[in-house]
Amino acid sequence: MDFRARPGYLRPMPRYALKIEYDGAPFAGWQRQKQHPSVQQAVEEALRRLQPDAPGIAAAGRTDAGVHALGQVAHCDLVKEWDPFRLREALNHHLKPLPVAILEAVQVDEGFHARFSATERRYLFRLLCRRAPATHERGNVWQVAYPLALAPMQEAARRLLGRHDFTTFRSTMCQADSPVKTLDALDIEEIAVPYGQEFRFHVRARSFLHNQVRSFVGTLERVGAGAWTPDDVQAALEARDRAACGPVCPPQGLYLAHVTYPQDPFQA
Amino acid sequence: MDFRARPGYLRPMPRYALKIEYDGAPFAGWQRQKQHPSVQQAVEEALRRLQPDAPGIAAAGRTDAGVHALGQVAHCDLVKEWDPFRLREALNHHLKPLPVAILEAVQVDEGFHARFSATERRYLFRLLCRRAPATHERGNVWQVAYPLALAPMQEAARRLLGRHDFTTFRSTMCQADSPVKTLDALDIEEIAVPYGQEFRFHVRARSFLHNQVRSFVGTLERVGAGAWTPDDVQAALEARDRAACGPVCPPQGLYLAHVTYPQDPFQA
């Protein structure tokens, strides 16, 4: 006899992983706060329209105020078995009119944890260089009014790759136990746009320190502008001193793009 | 002696052509109205910060409420000679914080007229097919929740090319003298996007009837959805009857993309 059929056996609640896209502008970040609207709160409230006592959810990355996501991942435990398609549709219905979309919902086994099972995070940063102000892309990019040089930014980015003490590129508010992280990729792509250029920074690591990507991009922008050299960036890294960092750039160009798991729960 | 140097000769005011990008969402369209904010009013008010009695301006295309522009063209006459770069910068400064950007300002000769000199208009329409609601692109696309088939839309679009009486695809409010126009291109491009597809309609003609592009796209969407056949579209065209048109689609996917002149006043 299957022990799960015995009386008194507590069947675990089904767990669902959610892939979430959002515009960070109206939110004080992912994490629930008392005073300000958060993406976590928005998703939890949608879940509680389906199940009033639904427990809180955990996410792969705690994005800051104004930071966007293309593929945030969170998991939730629900009492009822849900058809994943219907769960996604119901959540999207209740999330309206907020700019938060559940791209996919899948049932996962109870060992899956959106944050602790993740083996890699990928971020995208969009930087627009153009004199005329952004209109259609306003809020989707960080804009500077002057051109930047790609090659020195790429050279400086190479100096940051690998395992380092990233104290320089870490917010003083960072709660990580150690400033030592391994940066797996920091690729910069230049795209011609009318009357300007856009740089897309593709950044990959197992995990990141608080404000690490925005500290990188803010510093690399200084290199692209000619104010810093790649050697300056290397010296800043080696200083292991927050004061050596370039300016931290604003959040509206930053996207949590993808979270990797040993077994991808999402097909697409 | 140059007659322009004679006393009493009234030197014409210098004329400037402006290439303008805007997000149409906050506006009741291009054209100035008594009760509602318009793009024309925004640009004219910026001009009047430079010259309080600056006359009104004319544009190549009178975009409807909510319709965007990537390259609207207008011209204005100013008393003072302006360095084109400084004129653009000053206008962009005074347009803040509206989502209207002067991409370029150039001095043109007095024979240039933004509307009457134009020999071609190009429109772009962005149609997103995805179940999950748009977040970052909200307001930049028309969204439907189901997939569409490209090939039948392309076939139907071919039936619309050339010189026709487009009464079917013309708003009853249209003030054009004749419903006969020549459609030079209606190309449809399919782009894969995460969890969906985007169709970009590229439409070209010397001039358009009121609501013509939105009538085309709304009708072609019905073909892509399988509700209409390309033959139905041809029959609708031949009916020369507004009632034969498919649903007119909403404005937020439509962009006035480019205006062509015999001699392009803008370099880019």
Side-chain angles (χ1 to χ4, degrees):
Chain A
M1 181 183 161
D2 182 348
F3 77 96
R4 284 172 295 189
R6 283 183 199 155
Y9 169 75
L10 206 61
R11 190 170 144 282
M13 288 197 288
R15 175 164 288 188
Y16 299 89
L18 307 174
K19 186 183 277 194
I20 311 170
E21 180 186 277
Y22 50 84
D23 178 343
F27 300 105
W30 166 266
Q31 199 162 14
R32 190 181 259 279
Q33 296 186 17
K34 282 220 176 76
Q35 303 291 338
H36 302 287
S38 64
V39 185
Q40 182 182 8
Q41 178 191 351
V43 177
E44 286 177 353
E45 286 180 1
L47 281 162
R48 284 169 195 153
R49 299 288 291 273
L50 311 182
Q51 180 187 315
D53 64 345
I57 61 176
R62 296 185 194 160
T63 54
D64 276 340
V67 172
H68 311 298
L70 301 170
Q72 171 74 284
V73 179
H75 74 265
C76 59
D77 295 319
L78 294 173
V79 168
K80 198 181 124 179
E81 292 269 351
W82 280 83
D83 171 71
F85 176 83
R86 291 190 60 82
L87 177 59
R88 184 190 75 178
E89 294 293 295
L91 291 174
N92 281 333
H93 175 77
H94 291 303
L95 281 162
K96 275 182 200 164
L98 294 171
V100 179
I102 309 297
L103 297 177
E104 212 171 338
V106 292
Q107 193 170 345
V108 290
D109 67 50
E110 59 191 294
F112 177 88
H113 191 288
R115 181 167 171 209
F116 299 120
S117 304
T119 53
E120 183 195 69
R121 277 93 176 158
R122 296 184 200 164
Y123 283 90
L124 163 69
F125 196 99
R126 295 181 59 188
L127 167 50
L128 173 68
C129 304
R130 191 174 88 155
R131 296 272 331 158
T135 59
H136 310 294
E137 295 293 359
R138 182 181 291 191
N140 290 345
V141 296
W142 173 37
Q143 183 173 11
V144 300
Y146 39 81
L148 298 174
L150 176 63
M153 288 198 287
Q154 288 175 320
E155 173 55 31
R158 269 192 290 276
R159 312 288 182 93
L160 298 168
L161 293 179
R163 184 175 163 86
H164 300 285
D165 177 334
F166 282 109
T167 296
T168 301
F169 300 97
R170 171 195 202 187
S171 160
T172 53
M173 315 275 283
C174 182
Q175 293 173 3
D177 290 336
S178 161
V180 176
K181 295 280 177 191
T182 301
L183 179 64
D184 294 316
L186 204 172
D187 298 325
I188 311 172
E189 173 189 14
E190 180 175 349
I191 296 163
V193 298
Y195 299 91
Q197 39 179 193
E198 182 182 324
F199 293 96
R200 295 194 179 180
F201 298 75
H202 303 275
V203 194
R204 268 197 304 120
R206 182 176 183 93
S207 61
F208 288 89
L209 300 164
H210 189 206
N211 272 357
Q212 192 177 0
V213 178
R214 288 166 57 195
S215 299
F216 283 163
V217 174
T219 301
L220 294 173
E221 186 275 340
R222 294 289 73 207
V223 176
W228 286 45
T229 66
D231 285 345
D232 292 337
V233 174
Q234 184 155 0
L237 172 67
E238 288 167 2
R240 298 188 187 94
D241 176 359
R242 181 59 173 162
C245 186
V248 175
C249 68
Q252 72 270 17
L254 184 57
Y255 299 75
L256 173 53
H258 183 79
V259 185
T260 305
Y261 296 94
Q263 286 182 300
D264 184 0
F266 307 103
Q267 52 263 55
Chain B
M1 182 181 162
D2 182 346
F3 76 97
R4 285 173 294 189
R6 282 184 202 157
Y9 168 74
L10 205 62
R11 189 170 145 281
M13 288 197 290
R15 176 165 288 189
Y16 299 89
L18 307 174
K19 185 183 278 193
I20 311 171
E21 180 185 277
Y22 49 84
D23 179 342
F27 300 105
W30 167 266
Q31 200 162 13
R32 188 181 261 280
Q33 297 186 16
K34 283 219 175 76
Q35 304 290 338
H36 302 288
S38 64
V39 184
Q40 182 183 8
Q41 177 191 352
V43 177
E44 286 176 354
E45 285 180 1
L47 281 162
R48 284 169 194 154
R49 299 289 292 272
L50 311 181
Q51 179 187 316
D53 65 345
I57 61 176
R62 295 186 194 160
T63 54
D64 275 340
V67 172
H68 311 298
L70 301 170
Q72 171 73 284
V73 178
H75 74 265
C76 59
D77 294 319
L78 295 173
V79 169
K80 199 181 124 178
E81 292 269 351
W82 279 83
D83 172 72
F85 176 83
R86 291 190 60 82
L87 177 58
R88 184 190 74 178
E89 294 293 295
L91 291 174
N92 281 333
H93 175 75
H94 292 303
L95 281 163
K96 276 182 200 162
L98 294 171
V100 179
I102 308 298
L103 297 176
E104 211 170 338
V106 292
Q107 194 171 344
V108 289
D109 67 51
E110 58 191 296
F112 177 88
H113 191 287
R115 183 168 169 207
F116 299 121
S117 304
T119 53
E120 183 194 69
R121 277 94 176 157
R122 296 184 201 165
Y123 282 90
L124 163 69
F125 196 100
R126 295 181 58 188
L127 168 50
L128 173 68
C129 304
R130 192 173 87 156
R131 294 274 330 159
T135 59
H136 311 295
E137 295 293 358
R138 183 181 291 191
N140 290 345
V141 295
W142 173 36
Q143 183 172 11
V144 300
Y146 39 82
L148 298 174
L150 176 63
M153 289 197 286
Q154 288 176 320
E155 173 55 30
R158 270 192 290 274
R159 313 289 182 93
L160 299 169
L161 293 180
R163 184 175 164 85
H164 299 285
D165 177 334
F166 283 109
T167 296
T168 300
F169 300 97
R170 172 195 201 186
S171 161
T172 53
M173 315 275 284
C174 183
Q175 293 174 2
D177 291 335
S178 161
V180 176
K181 294 282 177 191
T182 301
L183 179 64
D184 294 316
L186 205 171
D187 298 326
I188 312 172
E189 174 188 15
E190 180 175 347
I191 296 163
V193 299
Y195 298 93
Q197 37 177 196
E198 182 183 323
F199 293 97
R200 296 195 179 180
F201 298 75
H202 303 274
V203 194
R204 269 197 303 121
R206 182 176 182 93
S207 61
F208 287 90
L209 300 164
H210 190 203
N211 273 357
Q212 192 178 358
V213 178
R214 287 165 57 196
S215 299
F216 283 162
V217 174
T219 302
L220 293 173
E221 186 275 339
R222 294 289 74 206
V223 176
W228 287 45
T229 66
D231 285 345
D232 292 337
V233 173
Q234 185 155 358
L237 172 67
E238 289 168 2
R240 298 187 187 94
D241 176 359
R242 180 59 173 162
C245 187
V248 175
C249 68
Q252 72 269 16
L254 183 58
Y255 299 75
L256 173 53
H258 183 79
V259 185
T260 305
Y261 297 94
Q263 286 184 299
D264 185 359
F266 306 104
Q267 52 261 55

